[in-house]
Amino acid sequence: MGKIAALHALSDVVTVNATPHSAQVIVSLPEASDVIAERDLLQVMTGLVQALNEEGCTLIGGHTTQARELSIGVVINASYEDNEEKPNTLTQDLSDGDVLVLTKPLGIGTVFAGLMQQQASGRDVRIATEAMLQSNQLAAQLLREHGAYAVTDVTGFGLLGHADRLLKPMHEQAGMLLSLEAVPVLPGALQLAQAGVRSSLWASNSGLLEVMEIADDVDENRLALLCDPQTSGGLLAIVPARQQDSVVADLKSNGYADAAVIGFTNSSGRYRVR
């Protein structure tokens, strides 16, 4: 949990090409004996500090409190060089056919909702946990090297919510066409969705489906995963079409095995799923 919390917070920094330098943390521990509380805090902080150190970030302070359940909050301080381009500044007009690249599979919220309902398998939970433990730092670097116009992390708003937030500031007529079958999903996530499992945030995220143009033959359960909230999810980027093969190949060869082109941008002003 400590490592995932750190990586989740660091994703906001790596997507905008800032340099992390320090962090602060608040850890809420369940009430327990001193021995158990000390053990749990040691475990949490060991993982958190390990993740921060691996990303070149130093823990400089924080607080510990007691609560009903374990929770971790992390603040990352980062900086830009004076000559660096600021985050997600579009340097040219989007072209019809530029590609949307996703670096990690969806389904984290669904798998852990399934775990809470005692429907998810241990294997699927382990794979989802491993996905959350994968840093986005190298993926962000590779996307920039391949000319990505803009990058965001896919977290609480789900894929559709973050795609909307990526496109809207760029151009009022920015649109996209998503290929549902191309979107990678975690093992077990689709089966849980078919069983009716939804994360608690899914209801608010799914409002965006009402403005989507959805093909008649689309699998509704796979469609539901586009609104699944992610913790320490992957990155979504807009990349020039000419770079689509090379960027996916580089991502895969560097450990992002499920990286894929999941759709295209256009100037229609419409969001479509096929």
Side-chain angles (χ1 to χ4, degrees), residues 3-4 7 11 55 103-105 129-137 232-234 251 254-257:
K3 192 167 186 178
I4 289 168
L7 293 174
S11 286
E55 304 271 323
T103 64
K104 289 186 187 181
T129 302
E130 289 171 353
M132 290 190 288
L133 286 167
Q134 185 177 31
S135 169
N136 284 323
Q137 186 179 59
S232 192
L251 286 165
N254 281 279
Y256 301 92

mmCIF file of all heavy atoms in Angstrom, residues 3-4 7 11 55 103-105 129-137 232-234 251 254-257:
data_model
loop_
_atom_site.group_PDB
_atom_site.id
_atom_site.type_symbol
_atom_site.label_atom_id
_atom_site.label_comp_id
_atom_site.label_asym_id
_atom_site.label_seq_id
_atom_site.Cartn_x
_atom_site.Cartn_y
_atom_site.Cartn_z
ATOM 1 N N LYS A 3 3.881 1.629 -1.249
ATOM 2 C CA LYS A 3 4.500 1.821 -2.563
ATOM 3 C C LYS A 3 3.470 2.278 -3.587
ATOM 4 O O LYS A 3 3.736 3.176 -4.398
ATOM 5 C CB LYS A 3 5.159 0.507 -3.013
ATOM 6 C CG LYS A 3 6.070 0.680 -4.216
ATOM 7 C CD LYS A 3 6.937 -0.556 -4.447
ATOM 8 C CE LYS A 3 7.943 -0.298 -5.569
ATOM 9 N NZ LYS A 3 8.833 -1.459 -5.786
ATOM 10 N N ILE A 4 2.281 1.692 -3.562
ATOM 11 C CA ILE A 4 1.232 2.084 -4.505
ATOM 12 C C ILE A 4 0.831 3.540 -4.293
ATOM 13 O O ILE A 4 0.654 4.296 -5.249
ATOM 14 C CB ILE A 4 0.017 1.152 -4.372
ATOM 15 C CG1 ILE A 4 0.356 -0.236 -4.921
ATOM 16 C CG2 ILE A 4 -1.200 1.723 -5.107
ATOM 17 C CD1 ILE A 4 -0.672 -1.300 -4.582
ATOM 18 N N LEU A 7 3.549 5.786 -5.840
ATOM 19 C CA LEU A 7 3.536 5.758 -7.303
ATOM 20 C C LEU A 7 2.305 6.456 -7.866
ATOM 21 O O LEU A 7 2.366 7.137 -8.901
ATOM 22 C CB LEU A 7 3.605 4.316 -7.801
ATOM 23 C CG LEU A 7 4.918 3.582 -7.518
ATOM 24 C CD1 LEU A 7 4.811 2.119 -7.925
ATOM 25 C CD2 LEU A 7 6.088 4.253 -8.238
ATOM 26 N N SER A 11 2.560 9.839 -10.327
ATOM 27 C CA SER A 11 2.061 9.844 -11.699
ATOM 28 C C SER A 11 1.643 11.236 -12.149
ATOM 29 O O SER A 11 1.806 11.602 -13.314
ATOM 30 C CB SER A 11 0.886 8.877 -11.856
ATOM 31 O OG SER A 11 1.334 7.540 -11.846
ATOM 32 N N GLU A 55 12.312 6.809 -7.568
ATOM 33 C CA GLU A 55 11.905 7.873 -8.488
ATOM 34 C C GLU A 55 12.686 9.165 -8.241
ATOM 35 O O GLU A 55 12.361 10.218 -8.806
ATOM 36 C CB GLU A 55 10.410 8.146 -8.326
ATOM 37 C CG GLU A 55 9.533 6.926 -8.510
ATOM 38 C CD GLU A 55 9.092 6.697 -9.941
ATOM 39 O OE1 GLU A 55 8.822 7.685 -10.633
ATOM 40 O OE2 GLU A 55 9.008 5.534 -10.351
ATOM 41 N N THR A 103 -1.181 2.674 -21.625
ATOM 42 C CA THR A 103 0.003 1.893 -21.253
ATOM 43 C C THR A 103 -0.267 0.731 -20.298
ATOM 44 O O THR A 103 0.565 -0.165 -20.168
ATOM 45 C CB THR A 103 1.071 2.801 -20.604
ATOM 46 O OG1 THR A 103 0.563 3.334 -19.371
ATOM 47 C CG2 THR A 103 1.448 3.937 -21.546
ATOM 48 N N LYS A 104 -1.407 0.741 -19.584
ATOM 49 C CA LYS A 104 -1.735 -0.351 -18.663
ATOM 50 C C LYS A 104 -3.184 -0.781 -18.880
ATOM 51 O O LYS A 104 -4.016 0.019 -19.318
ATOM 52 C CB LYS A 104 -1.586 0.086 -17.198
ATOM 53 C CG LYS A 104 -0.184 0.315 -16.690
ATOM 54 C CD LYS A 104 -0.239 0.595 -15.181
ATOM 55 C CE LYS A 104 1.082 1.011 -14.597
ATOM 56 N NZ LYS A 104 0.991 1.254 -13.121
ATOM 57 N N PRO A 105 -3.505 -2.012 -18.529
ATOM 58 C CA PRO A 105 -4.881 -2.493 -18.692
ATOM 59 C C PRO A 105 -5.818 -1.879 -17.656
ATOM 60 O O PRO A 105 -5.402 -1.449 -16.574
ATOM 61 C CB PRO A 105 -4.759 -4.006 -18.495
ATOM 62 C CG PRO A 105 -3.553 -4.175 -17.632
ATOM 63 C CD PRO A 105 -2.605 -3.075 -18.040
ATOM 64 N N THR A 129 -2.607 -6.071 -8.474
ATOM 65 C CA THR A 129 -1.674 -5.421 -7.556
ATOM 66 C C THR A 129 -0.335 -5.162 -8.245
ATOM 67 O O THR A 129 0.263 -4.084 -8.084
ATOM 68 C CB THR A 129 -1.459 -6.287 -6.304
ATOM 69 O OG1 THR A 129 -2.716 -6.506 -5.672
ATOM 70 C CG2 THR A 129 -0.511 -5.616 -5.318
ATOM 71 N N GLU A 130 0.136 -6.126 -9.017
ATOM 72 C CA GLU A 130 1.401 -5.943 -9.745
ATOM 73 C C GLU A 130 1.297 -4.791 -10.736
ATOM 74 O O GLU A 130 2.265 -4.036 -10.936
ATOM 75 C CB GLU A 130 1.770 -7.237 -10.461
ATOM 76 C CG GLU A 130 2.205 -8.350 -9.514
ATOM 77 C CD GLU A 130 2.369 -9.688 -10.219
ATOM 78 O OE1 GLU A 130 2.016 -9.786 -11.424
ATOM 79 O OE2 GLU A 130 2.841 -10.643 -9.575
ATOM 80 N N ALA A 131 0.134 -4.622 -11.365
ATOM 81 C CA ALA A 131 -0.060 -3.500 -12.291
ATOM 82 C C ALA A 131 0.042 -2.169 -11.554
ATOM 83 O O ALA A 131 0.656 -1.208 -12.046
ATOM 84 C CB ALA A 131 -1.414 -3.619 -12.991
ATOM 85 N N MET A 132 -0.541 -2.090 -10.359
ATOM 86 C CA MET A 132 -0.484 -0.851 -9.585
ATOM 87 C C MET A 132 0.927 -0.545 -9.105
ATOM 88 O O MET A 132 1.286 0.613 -8.879
ATOM 89 C CB MET A 132 -1.439 -0.939 -8.389
ATOM 90 C CG MET A 132 -2.899 -0.920 -8.767
ATOM 91 S SD MET A 132 -3.986 -0.738 -7.327
ATOM 92 C CE MET A 132 -3.821 -2.352 -6.573
ATOM 93 N N LEU A 133 1.739 -1.581 -8.935
ATOM 94 C CA LEU A 133 3.101 -1.405 -8.444
ATOM 95 C C LEU A 133 4.091 -1.025 -9.550
ATOM 96 O O LEU A 133 5.281 -0.846 -9.274
ATOM 97 C CB LEU A 133 3.574 -2.692 -7.767
ATOM 98 C CG LEU A 133 2.967 -2.976 -6.393
ATOM 99 C CD1 LEU A 133 3.248 -4.406 -5.964
ATOM 100 C CD2 LEU A 133 3.493 -1.986 -5.365
ATOM 101 N N GLN A 134 3.615 -0.890 -10.781
ATOM 102 C CA GLN A 134 4.497 -0.525 -11.891
ATOM 103 C C GLN A 134 4.536 0.989 -12.047
ATOM 104 O O GLN A 134 3.517 1.645 -12.219
ATOM 105 C CB GLN A 134 4.022 -1.174 -13.189
ATOM 106 C CG GLN A 134 4.974 -0.926 -14.365
ATOM 107 C CD GLN A 134 4.517 -1.640 -15.626
ATOM 108 O OE1 GLN A 134 3.328 -1.829 -15.844
ATOM 109 N NE2 GLN A 134 5.460 -2.040 -16.460
ATOM 110 N N SER A 135 5.717 1.546 -11.994
ATOM 111 C CA SER A 135 5.892 2.993 -12.131
ATOM 112 C C SER A 135 5.526 3.465 -13.536
ATOM 113 O O SER A 135 5.722 2.756 -14.519
ATOM 114 C CB SER A 135 7.349 3.362 -11.839
ATOM 115 O OG SER A 135 7.613 4.702 -12.212
ATOM 116 N N ASN A 136 5.020 4.699 -13.608
ATOM 117 C CA ASN A 136 4.709 5.318 -14.897
ATOM 118 C C ASN A 136 5.826 6.211 -15.418
ATOM 119 O O ASN A 136 5.699 6.799 -16.497
ATOM 120 C CB ASN A 136 3.433 6.156 -14.779
ATOM 121 C CG ASN A 136 2.177 5.308 -14.759
ATOM 122 O OD1 ASN A 136 2.094 4.293 -15.447
ATOM 123 N ND2 ASN A 136 1.197 5.708 -13.969
ATOM 124 N N GLN A 137 6.903 6.326 -14.662
ATOM 125 C CA GLN A 137 7.953 7.271 -15.030
ATOM 126 C C GLN A 137 8.565 6.969 -16.398
ATOM 127 O O GLN A 137 8.666 7.845 -17.259
ATOM 128 C CB GLN A 137 9.049 7.295 -13.963
ATOM 129 C CG GLN A 137 10.114 8.356 -14.201
ATOM 130 C CD GLN A 137 11.169 8.356 -13.109
ATOM 131 O OE1 GLN A 137 11.831 7.339 -12.877
ATOM 132 N NE2 GLN A 137 11.322 9.470 -12.424
ATOM 133 N N SER A 232 -3.405 4.054 -9.237
ATOM 134 C CA SER A 232 -2.091 3.827 -9.840
ATOM 135 C C SER A 232 -2.249 3.147 -11.198
ATOM 136 O O SER A 232 -1.572 2.178 -11.520
ATOM 137 C CB SER A 232 -1.195 2.987 -8.923
ATOM 138 O OG SER A 232 0.148 3.003 -9.361
ATOM 139 N N GLY A 233 -3.179 3.692 -12.011
ATOM 140 C CA GLY A 233 -3.412 3.168 -13.349
ATOM 141 C C GLY A 233 -2.330 3.604 -14.320
ATOM 142 O O GLY A 233 -1.322 4.213 -13.931
ATOM 143 N N GLY A 234 -2.547 3.300 -15.582
ATOM 144 C CA GLY A 234 -1.555 3.624 -16.595
ATOM 145 C C GLY A 234 -1.685 5.037 -17.120
ATOM 146 O O GLY A 234 -2.384 5.885 -16.544
ATOM 147 N N LEU A 251 7.243 0.641 -25.618
ATOM 148 C CA LEU A 251 6.584 0.442 -24.327
ATOM 149 C C LEU A 251 6.587 -1.032 -23.938
ATOM 150 O O LEU A 251 6.907 -1.397 -22.804
ATOM 151 C CB LEU A 251 5.158 0.981 -24.374
ATOM 152 C CG LEU A 251 5.007 2.510 -24.365
ATOM 153 C CD1 LEU A 251 3.595 2.914 -24.786
ATOM 154 C CD2 LEU A 251 5.325 3.073 -22.974
ATOM 155 N N ASN A 254 9.881 -2.390 -22.804
ATOM 156 C CA ASN A 254 10.334 -1.840 -21.531
ATOM 157 C C ASN A 254 9.401 -2.205 -20.378
ATOM 158 O O ASN A 254 9.387 -1.537 -19.346
ATOM 159 C CB ASN A 254 10.474 -0.326 -21.627
ATOM 160 C CG ASN A 254 11.756 0.101 -22.324
ATOM 161 O OD1 ASN A 254 12.829 0.134 -21.719
ATOM 162 N ND2 ASN A 254 11.654 0.399 -23.619
ATOM 163 N N GLY A 255 8.628 -3.266 -20.568
ATOM 164 C CA GLY A 255 7.873 -3.814 -19.453
ATOM 165 C C GLY A 255 6.397 -3.481 -19.404
ATOM 166 O O GLY A 255 5.673 -4.008 -18.550
ATOM 167 N N TYR A 256 5.918 -2.634 -20.328
ATOM 168 C CA TYR A 256 4.493 -2.296 -20.351
ATOM 169 C C TYR A 256 3.815 -3.219 -21.367
ATOM 170 O O TYR A 256 3.471 -2.822 -22.480
ATOM 171 C CB TYR A 256 4.304 -0.815 -20.700
ATOM 172 C CG TYR A 256 5.006 0.105 -19.714
ATOM 173 C CD1 TYR A 256 6.308 0.535 -19.949
ATOM 174 C CD2 TYR A 256 4.379 0.492 -18.539
ATOM 175 C CE1 TYR A 256 6.968 1.355 -19.032
ATOM 176 C CE2 TYR A 256 5.024 1.313 -17.616
ATOM 177 C CZ TYR A 256 6.318 1.741 -17.872
ATOM 178 O OH TYR A 256 6.966 2.550 -16.959
ATOM 179 N N ALA A 257 3.639 -4.464 -20.938
ATOM 180 C CA ALA A 257 3.267 -5.543 -21.851
ATOM 181 C C ALA A 257 1.912 -5.344 -22.505
ATOM 182 O O ALA A 257 1.661 -5.880 -23.587
ATOM 183 C CB ALA A 257 3.292 -6.873 -21.105
#
